[in-house]
Amino acid sequence: MSPPAEDAVLSCHAVTRTYTRGHQHTRWRSNGASDRPDVTALEDIDLTVEPGEILGIKGPSGSGKSTLLHLLGALDTPTSGTVHITGRPTTDLTARERARLRLDSIGIVFQRFYLLSSLPALSNVALPLVERGVPKSKRHDQASAVLHRVGLGQRQSHTPGQLSGGEQQRVAIARALVTDPAIIIADEPTGELDTETGARILELFEAAAADDTAVVLASHDEPTLAIADRVLELRDGERIDA
Amino acid sequence: MPGTRIRAAVGLAVARLRHDRTRTVLAVLGVTLAVVATTLLGSLGVGVAETGQQKFDAADRDLWISGGPTRIQPGTIGGFDTGIVDAHNVSRTLTQRDTINTAAPLLFQTVYVGADPDSLDTVVAVGARSSGGLALTSGDGFGPDTAFYNEGAYNGTPARKLVVGTQLQARFNTSNGDQLHVGGTVVDARRTTYTVAGTSSTFTRFLNTPTVSIPLAELQAMTGNANTDRVSLITVDVADSADTAAVADRLEAEYPQYTVRTNTEQLQAILAERIILLAAGVVLVGLAVLSGIALTVNLLTLLVLQEQATLAAIRAVGVSRFVVVGIVGTQGLCYGILGAAVGLLVTLPASVALNYAASWLVGFDGLVQLTPGVLAAGAAIAILAGVSSALVAGWRAASIEPLAVLQR
């Protein structure tokens, strides 16, 4: 196993991810056998991300962007190669340890916000702090402070249904920032927003990077990728930017 | 730390209950219906058994001898089976025993009764040797039927006195000394009158129908039961020093053609004859309980399915399965607890209303009797519904794998 690059908060070395077709989620085939070939979603990827850096990932649908984000976000492990997050190799971790790593070091922002519709913005943002066992008053103080940072100080008690799409994404970003992560992983964060709202969302990522948080943005939208310090381009699971 | 997470999960679950009010109200309503169905029918069952036992105890009789069920017999005068023959002799023989204080034959028959000979009602008449066993609210009643019946011969002078039940007294507005037409047939009733000699609620309350009480031998003659001295029942008052069960066993051995029952056995026999009604009640409660559980489980499981992607995203940001299941499971438990509380609260006025309706419709007071056991059963049903929904929805939430959902 290769050691992580010095100063890198995130690094990949020779990462390959292969999926066995017809094996996962195929209930009618109990023995796991498949007559279809395996699919290589990513092949031999090397990259490093340093604190405060914004890395853009671009590529068409099916190019492996989401697969790479899942590996960088410790949601998945590579078939071969290594991924180090804040110096820890994810391959050696159990699912529970990876969940703890995500809670401690990674903030994840999704294209579709994924907020609990029945809870106010404050409670949605404070959810990760629940897992950390932070007492209620402190939890709410921290969540409130982050909501102020993303410009929603006056909308804390509003439920997602009472917020616009842009505001919901701000809440989702606040949820990612509330644990003060070393890395933010964002998958198409402006995909469901208009240009003006998307631009304001990107300012939040720039602000996070200015605070030394590493940001990895996957998008096929050029204006979104324009804030990146570097852009990694994928096609058919391989880097083509090098 | 786990305490903080549990408190937070409970707090978030409560916030979700308050936000999803329609869903909460529907789920709680389902549980409430199950609780109320259980408590009210359970209370009714307890009340029927208790009231029946009280009625038998109030009759102050220990054994009931019958020749079979007292069924309606269409096409006969009197209209009811009379299974015991030679009743006067049997009663006298029984009363001569040291272990028995009295043995009283009773005949139940349908007769025509009316103040106006052209307007006669069918009423249950109870033939008793005297009105001594009745609790009279007015009048002196009638004495032993020996004036008419003498050593097997029905040829004396009939007393032509009767005691009206309270329902019939109210219907005809009779006073003691008034004349009523009574007969086994319409023709007989038009030409035969009896003098009202008292009012009693004893048999009216026991049978829950308008009644008149008539000297036994006269009723036997009136309804064609005199030839073989037939009656419906012989009730026995066992001596205090005797063992009721032992007396019953001995009588059964000596009179194998008859059925001898204690008070409790007689009540059980009456209830057993209404087994279809009881079974229908139990099935209704079962359906209500199943519906309540199905509704709450369904609502909460649908919620989890609706929020599957969001719950997966929350798991993805590091929130553990424990907290996610805690939030969903607490919601289910809250449905159960709220359903129990509302159900038990509704049970109290509902039981009062049902008792009022029962008293008005059938004349029995206190037919619905709430007991701690019945209330506990209702609460247990609610908790079962809550735990079931918590387990099923919790299992669905626990089985959400973030990557599998987010990759779709």
Side-chain angles (χ1 to χ4, degrees), chain B residues 14-154:
Chain B
V14 170
R16 281 156 65 82
L17 290 173
R18 290 170 61 183
H19 182 267
D20 294 332
R21 283 183 188 154
T22 306
R23 196 191 312 267
T24 303
V25 167
L26 283 175
V28 171
L29 184 67
V31 179
T32 300
L33 288 176
V35 171
V36 172
T38 305
T39 52
L40 287 188
L41 211 72
S43 303
L44 189 63
V46 170
V48 167
E50 292 262 320
T51 305
Q53 193 65 49
Q54 284 167 8
K55 298 292 175 196
F56 278 102
D57 291 344
D60 200 23
R61 314 305 290 179
D62 299 309
L63 296 174
W64 304 73
I65 303 172
S66 64
T70 307
R71 292 170 307 197
I72 291 174
Q73 191 65 267
T76 61
I77 296 172
F80 282 102
D81 275 338
T82 47
I84 296 177
V85 297
D86 198 18
H88 284 84
N89 274 334
V90 171
S91 301
R92 188 170 54 241
T93 307
L94 291 175
T95 305
Q96 284 166 355
R97 294 172 184 237
D98 293 341
T99 53
I100 293 174
N101 289 334
T102 58
L106 288 175
L107 175 63
F108 298 100
Q109 294 286 271
T110 310
V111 296
Y112 294 91
V113 178
D116 178 350
D118 294 323
S119 176
L120 300 168
D121 291 349
T122 51
V123 171
V124 173
V126 182
R129 297 211 62 187
S130 77
S131 62
L134 305 181
L136 295 173
T137 52
S138 71
D140 299 325
F142 53 84
D145 63 352
T146 46
F148 179 61
Y149 174 83
N150 186 22
E151 297 298 325
Y154 292 76

Side-chain angles (χ1 to χ4, degrees), chain A residues 19 25 70 75-76 99 102-103 108 110 114-119 123 127-128 130-135 139 159 175, chain B residues 1 4-5 8-9 12 15-16 19-20 307 309-311 313-320 323 327 402-404 406-407:
Chain A
Y19 293 109
H25 317 304
H70 293 151
L75 285 164
D76 196 8
R102 292 197 297 272
L103 183 70
I108 303 178
F110 304 94
Y114 292 134
L115 303 172
L116 280 171
S117 60
S118 51
L119 295 181
S123 297
L127 262 177
V130 168
E131 190 58 45
R132 283 188 172 180
V134 178
R139 205 162 67 217
T159 56
R175 182 176 65 188
Chain B
M1 286 270 280
T4 307
R5 290 197 299 167
L12 293 170
R16 281 156 65 82
H19 182 267
D20 294 332
E307 293 186 327
T310 303
L311 295 175
I314 289 168
R315 293 280 319 280
V317 300
V319 176
S320 66
V323 170
I327 294 171
L403 195 59
L406 296 172
Q407 272 179 333

Side-chain angles (χ1 to χ4, degrees), chain B residues 163-309:
Chain B
V163 172
V164 290
T166 44
Q167 285 185 14
L168 207 62
Q169 192 274 335
R171 187 189 296 176
F172 292 145
N173 193 24
T174 58
S175 303
N176 292 332
D178 288 354
Q179 299 289 308
L180 286 177
H181 290 269
V182 181
T185 64
V186 173
V187 174
D188 272 350
R190 281 179 178 155
R191 66 185 180 207
T192 311
T193 57
Y194 271 70
T195 305
V196 176
T199 308
S200 171
S201 62
T202 302
F203 284 116
T204 292
R205 293 181 74 81
F206 194 78
L207 299 172
N208 190 37
T209 186
T211 59
V212 290
S213 300
I214 295 174
L216 174 63
E218 294 177 38
L219 183 61
Q220 284 178 311
M222 190 188 296
T223 55
N225 287 296
N227 284 345
T228 47
D229 190 6
R230 301 179 80 92
V231 295
S232 310
L233 286 171
I234 294 176
T235 62
V236 175
D237 178 19
V238 176
D240 291 344
S241 56
D243 176 20
T244 304
V247 173
D249 289 344
R250 177 166 291 186
L251 292 181
E252 249 177 345
E254 288 180 24
Y255 298 97
Q257 70 274 34
Y258 298 142
T259 305
V260 181
R261 293 191 180 113
T262 61
N263 282 346
T264 305
E265 289 167 343
Q266 183 70 5
L267 177 61
Q268 286 170 344
I270 291 170
L271 292 177
E273 284 174 21
R274 287 147 185 82
I275 192 69
I276 291 176
L277 195 64
L278 292 174
V282 171
V283 168
L284 275 178
V285 169
L287 285 174
V289 169
L290 282 178
S291 303
I293 292 174
L295 183 66
T296 48
V297 169
N298 205 16
L299 281 170
L300 200 54
T301 309
L302 277 175
L303 177 64
V304 171
L305 286 176
Q306 266 178 6
E307 293 186 327
Q308 195 178 29

Side-chain angles (χ1 to χ4, degrees), chain A residues 76-197:
Chain A
D76 196 8
T77 52
T79 309
S80 64
T82 56
V83 175
H84 283 82
I85 297 170
T86 60
R88 296 183 72 185
T90 60
T91 322
D92 296 342
L93 303 178
T94 63
R96 184 173 290 192
E97 288 169 334
R98 281 191 282 118
R100 190 71 211 183
L101 178 63
R102 292 197 297 272
L103 183 70
D104 290 339
S105 307
I106 304 169
I108 303 178
V109 179
F110 304 94
Q111 181 178 352
R112 291 184 188 165
F113 326 136
Y114 292 134
L115 303 172
L116 280 171
S117 60
S118 51
L119 295 181
L122 189 73
S123 297
N124 266 294
V125 173
L127 262 177
L129 300 177
V130 168
E131 190 58 45
R132 283 188 172 180
V134 178
K136 186 177 180 181
S137 58
K138 199 172 172 191
R139 205 162 67 217
H140 283 186
D141 287 348
Q142 284 180 242
S144 177
V146 181
L147 279 168
H148 274 96
R149 262 170 66 191
V150 299
L152 289 176
Q154 307 302 315
R155 312 278 277 170
Q156 300 183 26
S157 60
H158 290 65
T159 56
Q162 298 168 316
L163 300 173
S164 67
E167 287 172 327
Q168 289 184 58
Q169 192 60 300
R170 282 165 185 265
V171 174
I173 292 170
R175 182 176 65 188
L177 290 172
V178 77
T179 54
D180 199 15
I183 306 153
I184 287 180
I185 305 284
D187 189 5
E188 302 280 7
T190 59
E192 303 227 335
L193 305 175
D194 60 67
T195 309
E196 192 182 333
T197 309

